[in-house]
């Protein structure tokens, strides 16, 4: 297995207008880590997702979807202690999307180290975790701590969810993990949640993380692209220019592209190029993961706008 990831994947309902007015919704699934898993699987990597869904129909939908995308589910299972979580996406005005969670007490909030540690045997080349999982409850937080301490190379995407926990609690949970991380991915306004409090500028935060032993720090800047830092180089890449359809999931797609570049042994520029390319696919298509590219589609964005591929 190249990559192990774990976390909560929910049923996702998307409304085109205000939910309180009713009308139709489209049903799919969404979860930061499973979005990354699908992105990697589409690019041809061997990836495993571990986690709990409810023993219900939406749980079946989650498992069926991941299985259909080629994600290994040996360590995923249904659990009766809670239902599968639910997330509602409401297109409010223009490109602004409002996200509403119904995930408190979900099956995934009962995740514990015992659910994920067996999935690390045999050890994957890389473990990917996000800051969403420790926000789900004490068991999931313990699962993240235990997995990060297992000694495999770890990528953490800070992925702060203000609806789940406050910044102080997130920082108190994530900062102690830093020295065990190989790759840190964060938006520019999230770096302080994993870097030491004493560092007050982006530059200082990146330097402090590299000093703590992190090998690569990647800062996402939305439509302004991203910056990658290692001990020896800093590389800026612009975002790909695409027409925005739905920005939700861009960060997860970006991570899938970055990790794919790592697994393919691309250099820092190559990793970032693949990351912004996969991120752009997510932005230019509707849904968290539905529009992510296969390996043979990676070059599609180089086609001229309006061209038809026959
Ligand atoms: P989300 O939480 O919605 O998944 P995020 O805040 O984690 O997103 P962003 O920084 O918004 O992540 O986006 C990640 C990457 O996706 C960016 O670095 C960029 O490469 C790409 N991206 C985001 N927005 C755009 C855009 N409007 N046009 C092109 N690429 C974009």
């Amino acid at each position: 297995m190249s990559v192990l990831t774990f976390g909560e994947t929910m049923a996702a309902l998307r409304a085109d207008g205000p939910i309180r007015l009713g009308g139709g919704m489209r049903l799919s699934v969404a979860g930061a880590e499973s979005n990354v898993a699908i992105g990697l699987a589409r690019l041809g990597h061997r990836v495993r997702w571990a986690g709990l869904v409810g023993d219900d129909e939406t749980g079946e939908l989650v498992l069926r979807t991941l299985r259909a995308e080629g994600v290994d589910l040996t360590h995923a299972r249904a659990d009766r202690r809670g239902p599968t979580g639910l997330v509602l996406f409401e297109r409010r005005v223009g490109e602004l999307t409002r996200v509403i969670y119904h995930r408190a007490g979900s099956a995934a909030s009962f995740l514990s180290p015992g659910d994920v540690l067996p999935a690390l045997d045999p050890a994957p080349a890389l473990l990917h975790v996000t800051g969403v999982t420790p926000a789900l409850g004490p068991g999931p937080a313990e699962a993240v701590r235990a997995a990060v301490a297992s000694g495999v190379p770890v990528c953490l995407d800070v992925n702060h969810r203000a609806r789940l926990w406050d910044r102080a609690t997130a920082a108190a949970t994530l900062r102690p993990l830093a020295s065990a991380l190989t790759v840190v991915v964060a938006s520019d306004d999230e770096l302080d949640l994993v870097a030491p409090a004493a560092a007050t500028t982006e530059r200082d935060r990146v330097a402090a993380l590299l000093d703590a032993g992190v090998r690569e720090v990647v800062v996402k800047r939305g439509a302004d692209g991203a910056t990658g830092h290692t001990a020896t180089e800093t590389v800026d890449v612009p975002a790909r220019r695409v027409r925005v359809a739905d920005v939700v999931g861009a960060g997860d797609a970006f991570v899938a592209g970055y990790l794919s570049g790592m697994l393919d042994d691309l250099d820092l520029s190559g990793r970032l190029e693949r990351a912004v390319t996969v991120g752009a696919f997510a932005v230019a298509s509707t849904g968290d993961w539905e529009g992510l590219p296969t390996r043979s589609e990676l070059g599609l964005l180089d086609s001229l706008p309006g061209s038809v591929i026959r």
Side-chain angles (χ1 to χ4, degrees):
M1 201 48 62
S2 296
V3 178
L4 168 69
T5 188
F6 64 87
E8 177 165 36
T9 301
M10 298 162 285
L13 282 170
R14 276 196 161 69
D16 288 328
I19 287 173
R20 61 177 63 189
L21 298 187
M25 295 175 111
R26 287 181 312 282
L27 175 62
S28 182
V29 305
E33 302 81 10
S34 60
N35 292 343
V36 173
I38 291 172
L40 284 165
R42 288 218 179 154
L43 292 170
H45 301 286
R46 292 172 59 225
V47 53
R48 168 175 290 169
W49 178 85
L52 306 178
V53 296
D55 187 12
D56 47 33
E57 287 305 303
T58 46
E60 285 298 331
L61 172 69
V62 168
L63 298 180
R64 186 176 195 271
T65 304
L66 295 180
R67 200 177 295 122
E69 291 291 334
V71 176
D72 179 281
L73 294 180
T74 308
H75 295 273
R77 65 178 175 83
D79 187 290
R80 296 213 160 144
R81 284 172 289 179
T84 302
L86 174 66
V87 55
L88 308 176
F89 295 100
E90 176 184 55
R91 208 57 189 263
R92 199 54 194 83
V93 279
E95 285 163 13
L96 182 78
T97 299
R98 199 147 60 179
V99 180
I100 299 143
Y101 296 121
H102 296 276
R103 68 198 299 180
S106 67
S109 66
F110 292 95
L111 193 78
S112 69
D115 296 308
V116 298
L117 292 179
L120 281 158
D121 185 19
L126 205 61
L127 166 69
H128 174 63
V129 294
T130 78
V132 180
T133 308
L136 300 178
E142 206 41 58
V144 169
R145 271 191 284 273
V148 167
S150 70
V152 298
V154 183
C155 171
L156 168 78
D157 182 353
V158 174
N159 235 329
H160 183 61
R161 296 283 186 263
R163 294 263 169 97
L164 296 182
W165 57 353
D166 59 55
R167 296 183 73 88
T169 314
T173 307
L174 299 180
R175 282 180 187 148
L177 303 179
S179 62
L181 303 173
T182 307
V183 181
V184 169
V185 182
S187 297
D188 43 10
D189 62 354
E190 293 174 340
L191 258 189
D192 60 309
L193 301 180
V194 64
T200 53
T201 63
E202 180 174 319
R203 199 176 161 165
D204 289 349
R205 289 174 181 137
V206 169
L209 288 169
L210 294 172
D211 280 351
V214 177
R215 286 215 331 252
E216 303 174 29
V217 180
V218 184
V219 183
K220 297 173 291 184
R221 306 183 198 283
D224 291 329
T227 308
H229 305 266
T230 66
T232 53
E233 59 179 334
T234 291
V235 175
D236 284 309
V237 286
R240 306 284 305 237
R241 290 177 67 117
V242 287
R243 188 181 296 170
V244 175
D246 173 8
V247 293
V248 179
D252 304 328
F254 177 96
V255 169
Y258 193 85
L259 298 183
S260 168
M262 280 182 78
L263 294 169
D264 285 356
D265 277 331
L266 302 184
D267 62 12
L268 183 60
S269 301
R271 295 170 187 197
L272 290 166
E273 274 307 326
R274 188 168 293 173
V276 296
T277 299
V278 181
F281 271 90
V283 165
S285 52
T286 305
D288 276 30
W289 52 268
E290 286 84 341
L292 298 185
T294 61
R295 187 164 284 255
S296 65
E297 289 172 333
L298 277 173
L300 273 186
L301 296 179
D302 300 328
S303 311
L304 289 175
S307 52
V308 178
I309 298 169
R310 296 183 199 273

